[in-house]
Amino acid sequence: MPSILFVSNHCFIDYASGAALAARDLFIALTKRGWSTRVLSGRMLDSPTPGIDKLVERYQPGVQTRSVETAAGSYLLHDLVDQGVSIRIYQPPKTSTQIPLEEGYPFLQLLDEELTQRRPDVILSFGGGWLERGVLAVAKRHGIPVVFWLRNTEYKRPDLFENVAGAIVPSNFSAEYFKKTLSLNFCKVIPSLVLPERVLCKQREPRFVTYVSPTPAKGVFYFARIASELGRLRPDIPILIAVGRGQLKWFEQTGLNVIGLPNLKIAPPTNNPREFFRLTRVIVAPGLWEETYLRTAVEGIFNGIPTLASRRGGVADTLGQSGFLFDVHPRFTPATRLVPSVAEVRPWVDTIQRIFDDPAFETEQRNKCLAESQRFAPEKIISAHEDYLADIAKTHANQATAPTRSLHEDLVSLQKYFPTPIDLEKFAAISGTQ
């Protein structure tokens, strides 16, 4: 029976994270295919709410929680099982933007112990900080291959990939991007898995224009103008904002009274996207970053919901022949706080109105979505992941080793990647090597 371990400081059970949802769907599917699946997950969340405590609470009463004392202090370990996937969540006492040594080192010790006790055939990981480099270093010292999941375009250093056995990207755009920017020629293109049973609505009452996760990168300032125009021209068209990992406070900076529109409703964060897909007639996604894969659009495609999106990154790969792509001027970026003019959003607003006013046109768009859903058939995507991961494991099957040095000795070279200079004596004390 093949075995796989997912390792990342990004929280595996974070339902506000598209990457975490993709990992969860994949591991559930691999478990059903006979794989032995385990997870060692950290505390990084895409949204500060609801927080790890609330996320873990969803799995009660089947959660075992214990406090662990170390030289650096104490932390909590939550062990739970989700549809056959064994998950361990590491929760340090404090959280911060930067991961301090005192927080990161115990996580790597947990990984070292995990690989000693239950050696997996392959590790799947993502993240570009010093802690993720530590994960690669620990895997290397045990001779276990790591497949890196390249989920976004924020990776800027090719040396991060020196110790990886392979990489999975969700779109052709991603493969070309990393080939051009980091000279990575080994990226395997496999779309992220979306399990229809998690997103497909048995019954729908499609009424709303839906926007998900209000953030600058997701085009909150651009959407503000679209919503404002719909409120002015077509107050009969209802708008739904699904908060997700976003924050409604961003609308306050737009200068437009979006939240006060009488035709607007708010959907709070949820681990069940069917709650808002059931009510959605069209998705608007004016993203301003180079999105590698638009998961929300795929979830909509399964429900026959067309997406209106900006023509950036790999969104065209995701939509295929469904939905609509619009050019957005280069001056709009995730770093800008610019609201577009009425003229610039006119094509978006006109398309929305046509979907609501022309039944034949709307039916045509729905059918295009359902046709595109075949590209994302779970059986096809699961098999592609399974074949690639099994091939990596087989290729490196004879490279397993027993560590010959202490964990401290293997990790001390990573100090150049730490966010702040470290005290090596303190480092050694935390590792227990003094």
Side-chain angles (χ1 to χ4, degrees):
M1 178 171 61
S3 58
I4 185 170
L5 174 70
F6 175 85
V7 186
S8 179
N9 190 44
H10 295 264
C11 188
F12 186 81
I13 59 174
D14 180 9
Y15 58 76
S17 165
L21 288 171
R24 180 175 173 271
D25 280 358
L26 176 61
F27 269 55
I28 289 172
L30 289 176
T31 302
K32 292 179 179 178
R33 300 283 282 260
W35 284 63
S36 173
T37 55
R38 294 186 62 84
V39 172
L40 176 59
S41 167
R43 54 79 173 170
M44 191 74 73
L45 300 171
D46 273 15
S47 173
T49 56
I52 287 183
D53 291 333
K54 289 294 185 181
L55 291 174
V56 169
E57 197 175 276
R58 292 169 47 218
Y59 294 91
Q60 294 290 6
V63 180
Q64 295 183 350
T65 298
R66 60 189 173 95
S67 178
V68 180
E69 298 292 332
T70 73
S74 63
Y75 60 82
L76 295 179
L77 276 184
H78 307 284
D79 288 296
L80 57 101
V81 177
D82 184 2
Q83 299 183 59
V85 182
S86 297
I87 303 169
R88 170 164 286 180
I89 307 293
Y90 165 71
Q91 183 181 0
K94 298 179 181 179
T95 59
S96 59
T97 303
Q98 299 287 359
I99 303 169
L101 177 66
E102 293 82 357
E103 176 183 323
Y105 202 94
F107 182 82
L108 297 177
Q109 286 180 311
L110 286 169
L111 174 59
D112 197 54
E113 294 169 5
E114 175 73 22
L115 299 186
T116 299
Q117 296 170 6
R118 308 178 188 87
R119 183 185 299 273
D121 296 316
V122 63
I123 291 173
L124 183 66
S125 184
F126 60 75
W130 78 264
L131 187 56
E132 284 74 23
R133 290 177 182 273
V135 168
L136 295 174
V138 175
K140 181 181 179 181
R141 88 192 218 100
H142 287 269
I144 298 173
V146 176
V147 172
F148 209 89
W149 219 358
L150 280 164
R151 304 285 310 171
N152 58 58
T153 58
E154 297 302 308
Y155 298 91
K156 307 299 182 184
R157 297 184 59 127
D159 57 355
L160 173 64
F161 304 96
E162 290 174 354
N163 293 323
V164 303
I168 297 175
V169 294
S171 62
N172 292 322
F173 161 80
S174 302
E176 290 300 317
Y177 177 88
F178 288 113
K179 182 177 181 179
K180 179 180 179 181
T181 60
L182 299 182
S183 299
L184 301 184
N185 298 310
F186 54 81
C187 294
K188 177 70 173 180
V189 179
I190 310 177
S192 293
L193 176 65
V194 175
L195 295 179
E197 58 263 32
R198 199 182 60 77
V199 301
L200 190 60
C201 303
K202 293 182 179 179
Q203 293 183 331
R204 297 186 60 240
E205 303 172 35
R207 303 194 302 272
F208 288 90
V209 173
T210 298
Y211 170 64
V212 180
S213 294
T215 64
K218 295 287 187 180
V220 63
F221 289 82
Y222 216 91
F223 178 76
R225 179 65 76 186
I226 295 172
S228 178
E229 279 301 285
L230 285 174
R232 182 177 68 88
L233 298 173
R234 294 294 300 271
D236 59 307
I237 295 178
I239 301 169
L240 181 68
I241 297 177
V243 177
R245 66 180 181 182
Q247 298 290 327
L248 293 176
K249 66 181 182 181
W250 285 113
F251 286 106
E252 298 174 5
Q253 299 185 30
T254 67
L256 300 173
N257 184 26
V258 175
I259 302 301
L261 290 173
N263 59 332
L264 184 137
K265 292 186 179 297
I266 305 297
T270 177
N271 65 331
N272 182 8
R274 287 173 295 190
E275 292 178 3
F276 58 83
F277 282 129
R278 181 178 65 86
L279 304 172
T280 298
R281 197 164 177 178
V282 59
I283 298 166
V284 177
L288 301 182
W289 69 324
E290 292 184 307
E291 190 102 49
T292 58
Y293 178 84
L294 192 54
R295 183 181 181 87
T296 300
V298 177
E299 295 172 337
I301 282 172
F302 277 115
N303 285 291
I305 304 170
T307 294
L308 280 62
S310 54
R311 196 190 308 273
R312 292 194 177 179
V315 176
D317 291 352
T318 304
L319 294 187
Q321 299 302 310
S322 73
F324 303 86
L325 291 169
F326 300 90
D327 292 316
V328 173
H329 195 279
R331 76 178 187 279
F332 297 102
T333 74
T336 61
R337 302 294 182 260
L338 303 175
V339 177
S341 66
V342 171
E344 286 174 310
V345 303
R346 175 61 62 189
W348 299 71
V349 175
D350 287 347
T351 303
I352 292 170
Q353 291 184 89
R354 186 178 178 189
I355 289 173
F356 274 76
D357 295 340
D358 187 338
F361 182 69
E362 182 179 14
T363 298
E364 178 186 356
Q365 303 313 311
R366 180 177 184 277
N367 290 337
K368 286 183 177 181
C369 288
L370 296 177
E372 284 298 315
S373 70
Q374 298 306 307
R375 288 196 297 122
F376 304 103
E379 180 66 26
K380 182 188 305 183
I381 293 177
I382 295 169
S383 294
H385 279 95
E386 189 174 27
D387 291 346
Y388 182 69
L389 292 167
D391 185 61
I392 293 289
K394 182 179 179 180
T395 301
H396 296 80
N398 298 322
Q399 297 181 14
T401 60
T404 58
R405 302 190 302 176
S406 71
L407 180 61
H408 169 72
E409 290 174 312
D410 276 337
L411 295 180
V412 72
S413 62
L414 295 175
Q415 61 178 302
K416 63 183 177 181
Y417 300 114
F418 293 171
T420 57
I422 65 166
D423 182 334
L424 290 180
E425 291 185 4
K426 185 178 182 181
F427 193 15
I430 293 173
S431 71
T433 58
Q434 284 191 332

